[in-house]
C-alpha cells in the first residue's frame, strides 16, 4: 500500500517535471522559430509530376496536375510541364503551397489564354498560395495582342496574378499589353524574367525585387501611326500607406521597347518604385513619371532612380518630385533582405539552386 502510494506520488512528480520540461522546450523552440531556419536539414528529394499533352506524363493539363496536389501540401512538389502551348486558364488555390511549376524552357512551354471580361477574372495564370515558384515557363494573355488588332477595344487582360507570399520566378516570360503582371501582394522575387506590355503592365501592392529582368515596352500597339504620341506606363504600384512595406524594386535590369513609356504612375497615394543600376533606353519620356490621380500630393509618392544608365536615364527633365533617397534607404530596398525576411529564399536549397540563373 505504502509503496504504491509513493509510486503514485513519484509518478505525479515525474509527470509534472515532464510537463514543465516540455513547456520549457516548447518555449525555447518558439523563440528559435523567429531565427531563420536552416532548411537544408528539412530538404528531401523533390516529388515530380509530369504534364505532357501527348499522354506520356501523369496528366495532360496543368490544372489537373495542380488539382492532384493534396490540400495543405507541406513538401515541395515539382510540376514539370513538357514543351507546348497550353490553352488553359491555370489557378493555384490558397491551400496548395509548395508547388514548383517548371517548363521545358520559356520559349517552349507557354500557358496562354485570352480572357478580358473583368480585371479579376482575366488572368491566364493566378497563384493564391504561399511558397510558389516557377521557372522556364511563359505566361501569356493574348487578348490585346490578337483581338485588338481586329479593332476590339483595349482592356485589362492579365497574364499572371501573384497573390501569395514567398513566390519566386526564374527565367519566366510574361506577355500582355494592359496589366500583364498583377503583382498583387506578398514578398516576390523575379530573376532573369522578361515582362512585356504597354499600360500599367507591372502593377499591384507586391513587395518585390525584379533582378536581371528585361522590361519590354510594347507601346507601338497604342499608337499605330508611330508618332510616339501615346506613351505607355511600365508600373502602377499600389502602396497606400506610409507604413506599408511594399514596393517594386528593379535592380540590374534593362528597359527597352518599340514605343515611348513612363517608368510609372501612382496607382495609390504612397506608391513606391525604385529603378536601380538599370539600363533605360531612349523610349523613356523625359519627365519619367506621372502622379496620375495624386496631383498636389506628390510628396507622398516614392519614385526614385539610382545609378541607372543608358539614353533614357538622364534625370534633368524629370518631374520635380522625383525622390532623392539617402544611401541607407536605397541599400535597404535593393538588398535581398527587403523580401527575404526569415530566409525563405536564400537559405532554402530549392531556391539556392535556382538563384544561379
Ligand atoms: C545547414 O545544415 C547543413 C546540414 O546539416 C549544413 O551543412 C549547413 O552548413 C547548414 N547551413 C547553415 C547556414 O547553418
Ligand atoms: C526547346 O525545344 C527545342 C525543340 O524541341 C529543344 O531543342 C530545346 O532543347 C528546348 N529547350 C529547352 C531549354 O529545353
Ligand atoms: C527564346 O526566344 C527569344 C525571343 O525570340 C530569343 O531571343 C532567345 O534567344 C530564345 N532563347 C532560346 C534559349 O532559344
Ligand atoms: C549593375 O548591373 C550590371 C548589369 O546587370 C551588373 O553587371 C553589375 O554588377 C551591377 N552593379 C551593381 C553595383 O550591382
Amino acid at each position: 500500500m505504502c509503496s504504491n502510494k509513493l509510486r503514485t506520488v513519484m509518478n505525479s512528480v515525474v509527470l509534472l517535471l515532464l510537463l514543465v520540461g516540455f513547456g520549457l522546450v516548447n518555449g525555447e523552440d518558439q523563440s528559435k522559430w523567429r531565427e531563420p531556419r536552416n532548411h537544408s536539414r528539412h530538404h528531401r528529394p523533390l516529388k515530380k509530376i509530369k504534364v505532357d499533352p501527348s499522354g506520356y506524363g501523369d496528366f495532360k493539363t496543368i490544372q489537373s496536375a495542380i488539382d492532384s496536389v493534396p490540400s495543405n501540401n507541406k513538401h515541395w512538389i515539382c510540376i514539370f510541364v513538357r514543351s507546348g502551348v497550353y490553352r488553359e486558364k491555370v489557378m493555384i488555390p490558397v491551400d496548395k503551397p509548395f508547388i514548383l511549376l517548371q517548363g521545358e524552357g520559356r520559349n517552349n512551354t507557354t500557358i496562354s489564354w485570352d480572357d478580358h471580361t473583368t480585371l479579376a477574372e482575366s488572368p491566364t495564370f493566378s497563384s493564391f498560395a504561399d511558397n510558389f515558384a516557377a521557372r522556364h515557363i511563359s505566361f501569356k494573355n493574348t487578348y490585346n495582342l490578337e483581338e485588338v488588332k481586329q479593332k476590339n477595344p483595349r482592356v485589362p487582360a492579365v497574364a499572371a496574378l501573384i497573390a501569395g507570399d514567398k513566390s519566386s520566378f526564374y527565367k519566366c516570360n510574361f506577355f500582355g499589353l494592359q496589366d500583364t503582371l498583377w503583382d498583387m501582394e506578398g514578398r516576390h522575387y523575379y530573376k532573369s524574367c522578361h515582362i512585356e506590355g504597354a499600360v500599367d503592365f507591372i502593377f499591384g501592392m507586391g513587395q518585390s525585387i525584379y533582378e536581371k529582368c528585361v522590361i519590354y515596352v510594347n507601346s507601338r500597339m497604342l499608337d499605330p501611326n508611330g508618332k510616339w504620341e501615346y506613351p505607355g506606363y511600365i508600373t502602377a504600384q499600389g502602396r497606400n500607406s506610409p507604413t506599408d512595406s511594399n514596393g517594386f524594386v528593379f535592380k540590374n535590369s534593362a528597359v527597352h521597347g518599340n514605343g515611348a513609356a513612363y517608368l510609372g504612375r501612382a496607382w495609390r497615394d504612397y506608391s513606391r518604385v525604385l529603378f536601380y543600376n538599370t539600363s533605360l533606353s531612349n523610349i523613356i519620356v523625359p519627365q519619367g513619371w506621372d502622379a496620375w490621380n495624386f496631383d498636389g500630393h506628390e510628396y507622398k509618392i516614392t519614385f526614385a532612380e539610382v545609378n541607372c544608365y543608358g539614353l533614357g536615364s538622364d534625370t534633368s527633365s524629370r518631374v520635380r518630385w522625383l525622390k532623392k533617397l539617402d544611401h541607407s534607404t536605397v541599400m535597404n530596398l535593393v538588398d535581398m533582405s527587403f523580401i527575404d525576411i526569415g530566409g525563405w529564399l536564400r537559405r532554402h536549397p530549392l531556391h539556392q539552386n535556382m538563384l544561379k540563373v
Side-chain angles (χ1 to χ4, degrees):
M1 275 302 271
C2 198
S3 71
N4 261 354
K5 219 171 206 171
L6 190 65
R7 193 170 294 153
T8 312
V9 169
M10 290 290 279
N11 280 345
S12 309
V13 169
V14 167
L15 186 66
L16 193 71
L17 283 174
L18 276 175
L19 282 172
V20 168
F22 184 69
L24 281 176
V25 168
N26 235 6
E28 269 173 26
D29 260 7
Q30 292 203 332
S31 63
K32 266 186 201 148
W33 291 133
R34 288 191 201 104
E35 298 285 304
R37 288 169 64 186
N38 182 347
H39 295 272
S40 39
R41 276 178 289 136
H42 305 273
H43 198 45
R44 47 161 71 194
L46 261 189
K47 188 181 170 210
K48 261 198 179 181
I49 302 176
K50 199 185 281 178
V51 180
D52 186 336
S54 60
Y56 290 105
D58 303 298
F59 294 96
K60 289 185 176 177
T61 68
I62 300 169
Q63 190 63 50
S64 54
I66 289 165
D67 293 344
S68 78
V69 172
S71 189
N72 301 312
N73 172 47
K74 286 188 176 56
H75 301 288
W76 282 96
I77 294 182
C78 175
I79 297 181
F80 177 73
V81 187
R82 291 315 276 269
S83 293
V85 177
Y86 292 76
R87 288 278 306 151
E88 54 174 316
K89 279 177 82 160
V90 174
M91 198 269 282
I92 299 186
V94 68
D95 65 328
K96 302 209 172 173
F98 299 108
I99 290 175
L100 164 63
L101 185 66
Q102 180 165 332
E104 201 173 11
R106 53 176 151 175
N107 287 4
N108 292 353
T109 304
T110 300
I111 310 177
S112 182
W113 196 255
D114 61 355
D115 213 344
H116 59 279
T117 33
T118 66
L119 178 68
E121 285 172 60
S122 71
T124 299
F125 172 80
S126 39
S127 171
F128 296 95
D130 293 348
N131 292 296
F132 170 74
R135 68 165 164 176
H136 303 162
I137 192 162
S138 289
F139 305 96
K140 199 167 192 172
N141 189 316
T142 59
Y143 170 74
N144 292 314
L145 301 178
E146 288 162 12
E147 280 86 343
V148 167
K149 281 191 192 134
Q150 295 148 24
K151 299 277 180 262
N152 285 333
R154 173 174 55 79
V155 293
V158 176
L161 155 61
I162 315 304
D165 193 20
K166 302 186 228 177
S167 300
S168 55
F169 297 81
Y170 306 88
K171 288 200 168 179
C172 291
N173 290 341
F174 301 85
F175 298 105
L177 194 77
Q178 181 166 339
D179 299 345
T180 307
L181 174 55
W182 192 350
D183 193 351
M184 186 188 248
E185 62 176 322
R187 294 165 291 170
H188 303 159
Y189 181 58
Y190 303 84
K191 177 82 181 282
S192 302
C193 291
H194 174 105
I195 306 156
E196 193 167 315
V199 179
D200 306 332
F201 65 95
I202 304 174
F203 77 107
M205 294 167 65
Q207 181 164 335
S208 301
I209 291 181
Y210 296 81
E211 184 168 9
K212 280 190 167 178
C213 288
V214 172
I215 311 300
Y216 188 83
V217 178
N218 189 13
S219 63
R220 192 168 54 197
M221 292 278 288
L222 308 177
D223 185 14
N225 303 324
K227 292 185 184 155
W228 290 39
E229 283 166 355
Y230 303 97
Y233 300 89
I234 295 169
T235 63
Q237 210 278 334
R239 183 168 174 258
N240 61 22
S241 137
T243 56
D244 281 353
S245 57
N246 67 79
F248 296 162
V249 174
F250 296 86
K251 173 181 165 184
N252 307 353
S253 291
V255 178
H256 62 111
N258 61 20
Y262 290 82
L263 290 166
R265 56 177 172 178
W267 190 30
R268 299 278 188 265
D269 45 358
Y270 287 90
S271 186
R272 179 160 68 167
V273 180
L274 167 65
F275 281 84
Y276 175 80
N277 186 40
T278 286
S279 133
L280 306 177
S281 87
N282 63 350
I283 64 157
I284 302 305
V285 299
Q287 59 274 43
W289 303 86
D290 188 83
W292 207 352
N293 296 318
F294 302 103
D295 281 337
H297 298 268
E298 291 91 347
Y299 67 94
K300 294 177 179 172
I301 299 170
T302 303
F303 288 158
E305 296 168 54
V306 177
N307 293 347
C308 291
Y309 56 97
L311 292 173
S313 65
D314 180 1
T315 56
S316 58
S317 302
R318 290 289 195 260
V319 290
R320 274 172 311 154
W321 43 272
L322 183 69
K323 274 275 188 310
K324 299 263 183 295
L325 301 176
D326 62 50
H327 181 74
S328 73
T329 306
V330 172
M331 288 303 120
N332 286 338
L333 290 169
V334 301
D335 193 88
M336 286 290 274
S337 57
F338 175 57
I339 53 169
D340 192 16
I341 303 140
W344 63 274
L345 194 61
R346 287 166 300 174
R347 278 174 185 256
H348 197 291
L350 180 91
H351 294 290
Q352 280 166 3
N353 290 333
M354 299 194 294
L355 281 167
K356 293 175 192 138
V357 297

